[in-house]
Amino acid sequence: MKITEARVIVTCPGRNFVTLKIVTDEGIYGLGDATLNGRELSVVSYLQDHVAPCLIGRDPQQIEDIWQYLYRGAYWRRGPVTMTAIAAVDTALWDLKGKIANLPLYQLLGGRSRTGVLVYGHANGADLSSTIDEVGRYREMGYKAIRAQSGIPGLDSTYGVSKDRMFYEPADNDLPTENFWSTSKYLDFVPKLFEKLRDAYGPEPHFLHDVHHRLTPLEAAQLGKMLEPYRMFWLEDTVPAENQEGFRLIRQHTTTPLAVGEVFNTIWDCKTLLQEQLVDYIRTTVVHAGGITHLRRIADLAGLHHIRTGSHGATDLSPVCMGAALHFDTWVPNFGIQEYMRHTEETDEVFPHDYRFEDGFLYCGESPGHGVDIDETLAEKYPYQRAFLPVNRLEDGTMWNW
Ligand code: GCO
Ligand code: MG
């Protein structure tokens, strides 16, 4: 069997998605997600101009060799664009291998470790009371784990709280909009939110919260300590993680579980965090961390240090990534949780899939490969639209972390 085509498909059913379709001389094909929110076209070019020509004529079953060829062979290693492109190829090849073997992807990885995949949903509200109500709605929908983000009194806009009350956060605008941030207003408010949530819903639900890299290590330690009475499932991305050693300070001061890693793209980005057990959950994903082949290596290193997986699953990752992630989650021994922000109906129509949500869990399907397809005719109806994530400033105008 030989690869005859590697086609890049760009579509925007509400937001931009980039998909790689690897086609073989025997007519079967595999799909990989290649979406990098706000930087989509750089991955399109990387794949079209620099990767696709090298794939033609190769045996698609040589997943490991092709991965090493693209990683070592490029000379320029790592980085989100490179690793997203490699992930797209890798995911498409695992999908193909499943179709060749007539087995669902989780079977190729070693079989089922669990019946279903625990997911967390996003409850967002403009203020305290609407966030509490929204968490209640997620409880009614069956979610066992809920991330709560609320508007902060005194701040016009807050990360994670959508302006249009959509259940997900769409890509922002044609040019980046600007948000404003105050650490003191935030630190004053967040512990109250989780105190009220525990009062309202008792000890059972798992609560999560995403800080989106807004704090310093010392402030993160303070927040972690203040949240200890409310037994968080995790506190996510408290600080930017380029400086992995910075987590030592947070870790020394709080027992609130820490999650990090949605922007990481290789094992090198989390080596110290994992080896020193400075976090509890690693959020690397199939699409941004080099595909199944590389994510498996990260998960194995994490497992040695009692760290569990908690893959990123926001709506800027396409259903193709979600399908592959669910097979990974069904297999990986040190699974923790999977993020699940529902896609819109338009997106689900472009990407027909066999995974399903039931009572707080997602279940991957039994069809060969990862079980997600693309309707290319429909995809064509939604042309690419430039869109950026917002940027963030302190109240005095200083650029801050998004
Ligand atoms: C999350 C993330 C997202 C990101 C988005 C960026 O935890 O789900 O932080 O909301 O902002 O995926 O592309
Ligand atoms: Mg996050």
Side-chain angles (χ1 to χ4, degrees):
M1 185 180 290
K2 283 189 167 45
I3 297 173
T4 51
E5 195 190 351
R7 181 154 80 240
V8 183
I9 304 156
V10 183
T11 181
C12 186
R15 66 181 317 147
N16 293 312
F17 296 109
V18 180
T19 309
L20 179 70
K21 182 169 189 172
I22 296 186
V23 185
T24 65
D25 56 355
E26 295 187 20
I28 52 172
Y29 60 86
L31 294 178
D33 183 18
T35 310
L36 188 61
N37 196 8
R39 295 291 185 272
E40 296 88 356
L41 299 185
S42 54
V43 187
V44 173
S45 161
Y46 195 108
L47 284 168
Q48 272 172 353
D49 300 330
H50 309 292
V51 171
C54 306
L55 293 177
I56 308 305
R58 278 178 197 278
D59 175 357
Q61 297 236 54
Q62 301 288 88
I63 298 179
E64 188 65 52
D65 184 65
I66 292 177
W67 195 96
Q68 299 293 338
Y69 182 91
L70 294 174
Y71 183 83
R72 294 171 192 266
Y75 189 61
W76 312 106
R77 297 185 184 191
R78 307 167 58 192
V81 176
T82 298
M83 297 311 291
T84 301
I86 294 178
V89 175
D90 187 78
T91 309
L93 294 181
W94 277 102
D95 189 28
L96 253 166
K97 202 183 263 303
K99 289 175 179 172
I100 294 166
N102 199 26
L103 287 172
L105 180 40
Y106 75 83
Q107 292 289 15
L108 304 181
L109 294 171
R112 194 176 269 288
S113 297
R114 57 195 53 78
T115 48
V117 170
L118 177 69
V119 297
Y120 70 91
H122 286 214
N124 313 323
D127 55 24
L128 190 72
S129 71
S130 58
T131 308
I132 293 171
D133 292 349
E134 193 63 6
V135 168
R137 275 197 345 105
Y138 273 78
R139 297 263 293 148
E140 281 161 22
M141 285 190 271
Y143 285 85
K144 316 277 177 254
I146 302 163
R147 183 184 102 157
Q149 307 290 137
S150 168
I152 308 295
L155 290 180
D156 279 351
S157 55
T158 308
Y159 157 74
V161 182
S162 42
K163 291 166 224 106
D164 50 7
R165 293 203 45 80
M166 293 274 294
F167 53 83
Y168 76 109
E169 191 180 53
D172 202 43
N173 269 317
D174 184 46
L175 286 174
T177 53
E178 304 210 345
N179 285 356
F180 287 91
W181 174 256
S182 156
T183 297
S184 57
K185 286 174 183 153
Y186 173 79
L187 287 182
D188 183 52
F189 176 77
V190 171
K192 290 179 198 152
L193 170 66
F194 286 94
E195 183 190 356
K196 296 282 179 229
L197 284 172
R198 277 287 169 231
D199 285 352
Y201 300 111
E204 207 182 308
H206 296 306
F207 291 138
L208 301 85
H209 182 70
D210 188 355
V211 185
H212 230 255
H213 322 109
R214 305 278 156 107
L215 302 178
T216 64
L218 195 69
E219 291 159 355
Q222 289 168 352
L223 179 61
K225 276 182 101 158
M226 289 190 285
L227 290 175
E228 279 170 21
Y230 316 118
R231 236 183 0 88
M232 303 292 290
F233 187 94
W234 82 31
L235 187 59
E236 175 183 337
D237 284 345
T238 50
V239 300
E242 287 96 326
N243 181 10
Q244 298 180 46
E245 290 77 6
F247 277 72
R248 289 180 191 141
L249 192 147
I250 311 172
R251 196 59 155 177
Q252 275 162 20
H253 290 287
T254 180
T255 56
T256 291
L258 303 172
V260 74
E262 65 180 51
V263 302
F264 295 173
N265 42 75
T266 71
I267 201 164
W268 304 101
D269 299 329
C270 45
K271 184 170 168 280
T272 306
L273 292 170
L274 300 181
Q275 287 178 331
E276 293 188 25
Q277 207 180 319
L278 298 178
V279 294
D280 302 278
Y281 295 92
I282 184 72
R283 284 186 38 74
T284 39
T285 56
V286 173
V287 57
H288 298 138
I292 301 274
T293 297
H294 194 66
L295 193 58
R296 189 165 60 171
R297 304 217 153 101
I298 296 175
D300 281 343
L301 180 60
L304 296 181
H305 302 281
H306 304 277
I307 296 163
R308 292 185 284 168
T309 64
S311 285
H312 189 201
T315 43
D316 49 289
L317 285 57
S318 94
V320 174
C321 176
M322 183 54 81
L326 292 173
H327 283 268
F328 186 86
D329 296 339
T330 298
W331 158 73
V332 70
N334 49 324
F335 171 74
I337 200 165
Q338 168 69 51
E339 181 178 15
Y340 177 48
M341 245 168 139
R342 293 160 290 150
H343 285 108
T344 58
E345 257 172 51
E346 290 82 359
T347 299
D348 284 340
E349 276 164 20
V350 171
F351 297 97
H353 53 259
D354 66 355
Y355 59 78
R356 64 189 170 83
F357 174 85
E358 199 185 312
D359 202 27
F361 290 81
L362 274 172
Y363 297 88
C364 67
E366 291 293 326
S367 48
H370 57 48
V372 186
D373 208 344
I374 186 165
D375 180 335
E376 289 186 68
T377 319
L378 195 55
E380 262 179 41
K381 293 195 182 144
Y382 302 105
Y384 169 78
Q385 281 174 27
R386 189 173 71 190
F388 286 92
L389 281 162
V391 297
N392 195 32
R393 291 185 188 276
L394 299 182
E395 288 170 300
D396 69 0
T398 309
M399 267 306 290
W400 201 239
N401 311 313
W402 170 253

